[in-house]
Amino acid sequence: MSSAHLLIIGDRAALRWVATQQRMAFPSGRAKAARTLEEGDEIFLYTTRGCFRNPTRDLGRVIARASVTTPVRALDEPLVFGDRSFTEGCRLEVSGLAPFRDGLVLRDLVPRLSVFPDPATWSVRMRRASLELPPGDADLVRTELDPLLRPYNEVADAYHWEPAPP
């Protein structure tokens, strides 16, 4: 039986790669958790407030819906984003993507999501590469997110910007 996960992206270069390549990569320290993802699992891509290096302006948003299309496995060569190395990865099929810097503001749903038993400290649970969602939470995120999504081919080019220097 498939499950649903938030995949958490906290770096704009990583977001560019994930959105344009339809792949996900995980740091070596998160390999065990990453390998819980299975083919067919539903994925919601979440960008953190700091993803674009301006957490006072930006909000954490769920920006895409996808499914896992290959098992998580060791990458032939690690990917490096900033000072982090990513050694595991899988392919995704993005079925819907929000326009660039748009999407579902997750904090607005936190009081209604059981995965966050204490809404006051919800952001602590987001300090990881992925977070499995209970079925009811996945239904709520899907219902709120779907009206904001566009077909992948309509908006994917906006995620292919030239990365800014660090």
Side-chain angles (χ1 to χ4, degrees):
M1 179 174 199
S2 64
S3 55
H5 305 262
L6 278 176
L7 294 185
I8 301 160
I9 303 168
D11 177 83
R12 62 187 176 190
L15 171 61
R16 176 180 184 241
W17 182 81
V18 170
T20 61
Q21 299 298 309
Q22 294 192 69
R23 295 176 64 195
M24 185 64 188
F26 303 91
S28 60
R30 304 284 190 212
K32 185 177 179 182
R35 288 184 184 258
T36 64
L37 296 175
E38 297 180 354
E39 287 181 71
D41 280 356
E42 182 175 26
I43 300 301
F44 298 103
L45 295 179
Y46 171 80
T47 57
T48 66
R49 286 179 45 202
C51 185
F52 296 99
R53 299 186 184 158
N54 192 343
T56 58
R57 178 195 62 202
D58 294 314
L59 300 172
R61 297 176 185 273
V62 182
I63 62 154
R65 188 168 163 204
S67 59
V68 176
T69 62
T70 64
V72 175
R73 62 169 182 78
L75 300 174
D76 294 335
E77 292 193 29
L79 289 166
V80 177
F81 297 111
D83 60 351
R84 297 187 71 192
S85 179
F86 295 76
T87 58
E88 308 278 323
C90 64
R91 291 200 173 274
L92 304 174
E93 182 177 334
V94 178
S95 57
L97 184 62
F100 187 62
R101 294 185 99 140
D102 199 2
L104 177 64
V105 177
L106 187 62
R107 76 169 182 212
D108 294 345
L109 288 185
V110 165
R112 297 167 50 199
L113 295 169
S114 66
V115 74
F116 304 115
D118 178 11
T121 61
W122 74 276
S123 63
V124 172
R125 303 222 44 208
M126 301 300 284
R127 295 182 184 147
R128 58 188 68 199
S130 68
L131 178 64
E132 187 168 352
L133 296 176
D137 288 0
D139 290 343
L140 177 59
V141 171
R142 189 181 311 106
T143 298
E144 296 291 327
L145 177 64
D146 280 355
L148 305 174
L149 298 179
R150 302 291 172 262
Y152 177 80
N153 291 334
E154 283 184 18
V155 293
D157 284 347
Y159 287 83
H160 192 52
W161 70 93
E162 289 303 315

